[in-house]
Amino acid sequence: MIAIVDYNTGNLRSVINAVRRAGAEYVVTADRGVIESADRVLLPGVGEASSAMANLRETGLDEVIPRLTVPVLGICIGMQLMCAGSEEGNVRTLGIFPTEVRRFVADRKAGIKVPHMGWNTITELNSPLFRGLDSGAWVYYVHSFAPDICDCTIARTEYGRTFSGALGRDNFFGTQFHPEKSGTVGEQIIKNFMTL
Amino acid sequence: MVAKRIIPCLDVKDGRTVKGVNFVGLQDVGDAVELGKRYAEQGADELVYLDITATHEGRGTFTRLVERISAEIDIPFTVGGGIGSLEDAARLLDAGADKISINSAAIRTPELIDSLAAKYGSQFVVVAIDAKQIDGRWVATTHGGRKPTDRELFEWAREAQERGAGEILFTSMDHDGTKAGYPCDTFARLAEELSIPIIASGGAGSVEDIAEVLTTGRADAALAASIFHYGQITVRELKEQLKLKNINVRV
């Protein structure tokens, strides 16, 4: 059973639909007991980092998530909250990945618009999360902030600067992109997560 | 670098697509989910579903369709047509739409852009502008280009951006349906003045037209309907040809 963490950060329908398409059993919950006993935990999220972090703290999940030993996958804001801190709302976050989340700097001449929206490639893939995928696979991004490169970087993307498209450490994984919106590549990543 | 996007647009009436008569190998071209899935398999980067139903019952049908699209299609999709309020947008976003596109309502009530962006984030809000040249000036129009407004294209696009629009979908009503190409100078000027992505719509007759608007016209994405629906070219063929022209597309 996958626990999809519902901590009140926007619409979870896309993530739920993707998990359902992958054929997994899931429960949408904010209950710490349910999350602690799940086989896998998915931490989605859209919106603003500091308020999302406040929601996690309010439910006590900021203490539950870093102690989990089952595979955990953060998506977008969910992944950003697993980093050390974010410029968005200037907030300290869970500290699972030793990196900072920083805003993109718009550069009209270089064609860098913020948010970074659309399909981009992930390279230097270095995790079982990407089993069956080649460097240069296309994934879908919508975000204005992104984590810097660090020891836990398992995929890189270029957009004005090189950032961590995905992070991994022990049982913890995170993607800045949206696997639930990334076509067959995203489906493969979600299936890989189910079998980690 | 982020890829240039190719976006098929599907018109939906009473829950069924109204174009696509020559779609090869599809049993039911009227099924908006099946048609969208086919485009996604061909490599479409996003989809746009426009509800052209006028009735109240039709709106409910469209919402249920959006739920099905969200359940079955694994690429981003935008919905538009008749969205006049925060409640309309909320209903469609809850049904699973990734973005909503607003047009006339934004001109009538520009504050709608602010409230949508504040509530859901700019990435959810596409402002569509149908404009045409009147006495050498680009004027935003409503009612499919029939009613000119007092808004000038560039000024209105900038205002939409400042109010929180995440993207501008610009259609030249002088070019729409002509298959004679896009007004690339106008697109390039929009790109110069705006910092948000621009989607080019209306006028594509060939691969060259689309290539030109993505390069000279500096558009971030091209939206097209007829060239795909009537089987002139598949999304995959188009993207392969754009790639041969050194345009960064996802293939």
Side-chain angles (χ1 to χ4, degrees):
Chain A
M1 179 74 80
I2 295 183
I4 300 176
V5 181
D6 180 6
Y7 57 115
N8 202 13
T9 67
N11 197 334
L12 302 178
R13 189 185 279 263
S14 300
V15 169
I16 294 169
N17 281 335
V19 168
R20 189 183 289 151
R21 280 194 298 269
E25 285 191 34
Y26 65 90
V27 56
V28 178
T29 182
D31 183 281
R32 69 188 286 166
V34 174
I35 292 168
E36 281 167 338
S37 61
D39 300 330
R40 269 160 242 283
V41 174
L42 222 154
L43 184 67
V46 290
E48 196 271 336
S50 66
S51 50
M53 190 61 202
N55 290 352
L56 267 195
R57 285 208 191 95
E58 222 166 81
T59 46
L61 295 176
D62 61 321
E63 292 182 359
V64 174
I65 290 165
R67 290 194 202 129
L68 292 170
T69 52
V70 296
V72 178
L73 176 64
I75 296 175
C76 196
I77 293 285
M79 175 234 221
Q80 293 183 0
L81 297 185
M82 292 159 80
C83 297
S86 174
E87 269 185 7
E88 189 177 28
N90 197 19
V91 63
R92 301 320 292 166
T93 44
L94 298 175
I96 294 168
F97 304 123
T99 188
E100 296 292 320
V101 175
R102 290 189 301 120
R103 196 172 209 282
F104 288 115
V105 180
D107 181 345
R108 208 168 291 187
K109 280 208 181 79
I112 303 297
K113 299 180 176 185
V114 180
H116 172 217
M117 175 159 46
W119 296 81
N120 207 329
T121 52
I122 42 173
T123 59
E124 298 185 42
L125 308 183
N126 177 26
S127 167
L129 192 62
F130 302 121
R131 204 170 43 225
L133 299 175
D134 294 326
S135 180
W138 291 94
V139 292
Y140 187 79
Y141 281 100
V142 186
H143 60 134
S144 299
F145 295 78
D148 284 332
I149 299 292
C150 66
D151 291 348
C152 297
T153 301
I154 55 171
R156 294 168 183 247
T157 295
E158 302 283 334
Y159 191 67
R161 68 179 209 253
T162 307
F163 67 89
S164 294
L167 292 162
R169 202 202 83 196
D170 307 326
N171 57 311
F172 294 99
F173 301 87
T175 64
Q176 178 59 68
F177 57 85
H178 289 271
E180 76 279 15
K181 286 286 158 185
S182 295
T184 51
V185 169
E187 188 184 358
Q188 179 74 47
I189 291 168
I190 290 168
K191 283 187 173 157
N192 287 344
F193 175 67
M194 313 282 192
T195 52
L196 282 173
Chain B
M1 251 321 265
V2 69
K4 300 282 187 181
R5 289 170 278 155
I6 298 298
I7 309 175
C9 178
L10 297 85
D11 288 348
V12 175
K13 193 173 184 195
D14 300 320
R16 305 201 22 105
T17 48
V18 295
K19 289 176 185 167
V21 288
N22 289 342
F23 212 91
V24 181
L26 203 56
Q27 296 292 325
D28 180 4
V29 288
D31 185 339
V33 176
E34 284 306 311
L35 191 53
K37 246 190 205 173
R38 189 61 66 93
Y39 283 134
E41 284 163 13
Q42 286 182 357
D45 296 305
E46 294 178 25
L47 299 170
V48 170
Y49 285 93
L50 278 187
D51 183 18
I52 58 170
T53 317
T55 62
H56 185 70
E57 298 76 39
R59 296 263 179 265
T61 309
F62 188 66
T63 306
R64 285 190 294 280
L65 175 66
V66 170
E67 288 172 358
R68 272 184 64 216
I69 297 165
S70 171
E72 297 192 40
I73 291 183
D74 56 8
I75 61 169
F77 68 98
T78 303
V79 297
I83 298 171
S85 65
L86 207 55
E87 291 69 37
D88 289 339
R91 177 170 48 81
L92 295 165
L93 290 171
D94 286 345
D98 295 288
K99 313 179 198 181
I100 51 110
S101 162
I102 51 173
N103 191 335
S104 313
I107 288 185
R108 258 195 325 269
T109 320
E111 297 75 23
L112 183 59
I113 305 172
D114 303 70
S115 27
L116 282 169
K119 182 139 194 229
Y120 298 105
S122 288
Q123 74 274 12
F124 288 111
V125 187
V126 180
V127 172
I129 306 177
D130 296 339
K132 65 177 182 188
Q133 277 188 296
I134 300 174
D135 301 329
R137 194 166 160 268
W138 281 97
V139 176
T141 65
T142 59
H143 299 81
R146 292 193 305 278
K147 285 197 179 172
T149 68
D150 58 358
R151 310 306 298 258
E152 188 263 347
L153 166 66
F154 300 103
E155 161 265 323
W156 171 230
R158 274 196 308 273
E159 180 179 332
Q161 170 178 295
E162 277 155 24
R163 288 181 178 277
E167 288 176 285
I168 297 290
L169 169 60
F170 167 46
T171 308
S172 161
M173 300 313 286
D174 296 329
H175 297 73
D176 193 36
T178 64
K179 296 202 169 194
Y182 301 87
C184 285
D185 293 351
T186 309
F187 274 101
R189 186 172 156 203
L190 265 184
E192 192 58 42
E193 298 202 7
L194 300 181
S195 58
I196 55 178
I198 296 157
I199 305 165
S201 157
S206 67
V207 176
E208 284 67 31
D209 293 338
I210 292 173
E212 200 193 352
V213 82
L214 294 175
T215 52
T216 317
R218 294 169 58 187
D220 299 278
L223 176 137
S226 311
I227 64 162
F228 299 135
H229 297 323
Y230 298 112
Q232 189 180 333
I233 190 167
T234 67
V235 176
R236 189 177 309 282
E237 286 162 355
L238 169 65
K239 292 179 85 175
E240 278 166 0
Q241 291 188 39
L242 292 174
K243 196 181 180 197
L244 288 176
K245 293 175 186 291
N246 290 317
I247 294 171
N248 181 28
V249 286
R250 178 182 69 108
V251 285

